Amino acid sequence: MLTLLKELYLTFKSIFSHEERFYINVPYAEKNAAKELGAKWDPQKKSWFIPKELDQLYFKKWLQENNNKNLDADIRSNGFFIVESLEQCWRCRQITSVFAFLLPEDHQVKNYDENADDDTPIWVTAGYKVILGFIRFLNKECLETIQKISSHYYFDFSKTASSSYYMNHCRNCNSRLGDFYMHSEPGGAFSPMTCEQAGDIKLYWYNKLFESSAGTSSVDVDHFESMQIIS
């Protein structure tokens, strides 16, 4: 009986430890650098992974490369705002700046014609503003633009969402600040309920091509006219 229990324990331990592995795309020329940081090699999947006890911050370069390799844009715009708001860090309780992307009414969303013979996408103009959350893919120019404003906005893994996306981090303690409450909760950093709340939000316009794949987007932006457009 003890032998059977031991075998079951080892089996489940193996299964769960495998599920907790987060795989990264490491070029062969950079394998030694990843190994020195603590990455491990999975001979079955022939891929490097981050052990669960390590901070994924140290591997963000390969996280982004893996992400950009596997995703395409499903939303685009010929210009965009970077939104700056404030949020209290859940860990250190300090106030920190947080950032997001706001697209104008003429941004386009990728759709597909169910009656078409192929999978050629159709880009449809939305007709309303959006603030994007849970962004999984960003074109290089947009990523470089927002990271010039904040070095604390980068691709990371969220245990709460069980997925990776571009997220904010506290500028004081570098804790992850997930998108859900800031984007989805009324009164959150990017969901103002009043003109007064919106008045604390700053908008920076960039006349550049925006391409992204996002998990959520608001349907229009409440109190947009009260936000501060910084020239």
Side-chain angles (χ1 to χ4, degrees):
M1 183 68 177
L2 289 175
T3 301
L4 177 61
L5 289 173
K6 183 177 180 181
E7 290 177 352
L8 288 172
Y9 168 76
L10 292 174
T11 300
F12 283 115
K13 181 180 179 182
S14 175
I15 292 172
F16 288 122
S17 63
H18 182 75
E19 288 180 346
E20 290 171 346
R21 293 178 177 181
F22 194 81
Y23 290 89
I24 52 179
N25 182 49
V26 180
Y28 181 80
E30 300 175 8
K31 64 182 181 65
N32 289 335
K35 185 176 180 179
E36 288 177 3
L37 290 171
K40 303 294 184 182
W41 176 254
D42 185 333
Q44 293 183 334
K45 290 205 170 191
K46 300 186 184 301
S47 179
W48 292 90
F49 67 91
I50 306 172
K52 63 179 181 179
E53 66 271 12
L54 296 183
D55 192 336
Q56 295 189 9
L57 168 64
Y58 301 114
F59 304 88
K60 66 178 184 179
K61 172 185 177 181
W62 298 300
L63 284 169
Q64 289 177 195
E65 288 181 353
N66 185 62
N67 172 68
N68 290 343
K69 177 182 177 182
N70 294 310
L71 286 174
D72 293 319
D74 55 21
I75 188 167
R76 67 187 186 186
S77 176
N78 287 323
F80 60 90
F81 289 101
I82 289 181
V83 186
E84 180 181 1
S85 188
L86 297 173
E87 179 73 5
Q88 184 181 49
C89 175
W90 60 272
R91 174 169 287 172
C92 71
R93 313 308 296 174
Q94 299 296 310
I95 300 298
T96 184
S97 296
V98 288
F99 299 87
F101 289 96
L102 187 157
L103 305 185
E105 292 93 335
D106 60 355
H107 75 273
Q108 295 182 317
V109 179
K110 183 188 289 185
N111 284 327
Y112 293 89
D113 186 351
E114 296 179 357
N115 300 317
D117 295 331
D118 56 22
D119 294 329
T120 302
I122 302 171
W123 288 95
V124 179
T125 300
Y128 51 83
K129 299 180 183 69
V130 294
I131 295 180
L132 302 178
F134 297 96
I135 293 178
R136 301 182 299 273
F137 166 80
L138 269 174
N139 61 315
K140 183 179 179 181
E141 189 173 19
C142 289
L143 178 59
E144 290 175 348
T145 299
I146 195 170
Q147 289 186 336
K148 285 180 181 177
I149 296 177
S150 173
S151 60
H152 296 282
Y153 183 91
Y154 54 84
F155 199 71
D156 205 348
F157 179 76
S158 167
K159 292 182 179 179
T160 303
S162 297
S163 63
S164 297
Y165 58 91
Y166 289 98
M167 67 178 69
N168 289 277
H169 297 73
C170 176
R171 66 183 176 186
N172 304 295
C173 69
N174 208 46
S175 294
R176 301 176 181 90
L177 302 177
D179 279 5
F180 179 77
Y181 290 105
M182 291 191 288
H183 286 265
S184 303
E185 287 291 302
F190 305 116
S191 301
M193 294 292 290
T194 65
C195 294
E196 289 74 18
Q197 289 178 345
D200 294 328
I201 295 176
K202 299 176 182 178
L203 302 176
Y204 305 89
W205 173 255
Y206 293 89
N207 192 28
K208 300 179 180 180
L209 176 65
F210 179 91
E211 295 178 311
S212 173
S213 176
T216 62
S217 60
S218 60
V219 179
D220 215 344
V221 178
D222 292 333
H223 308 294
F224 174 81
E225 65 284 350
S226 297
M227 298 178 184
Q228 306 176 50
I229 298 180
I230 309 298
S231 57

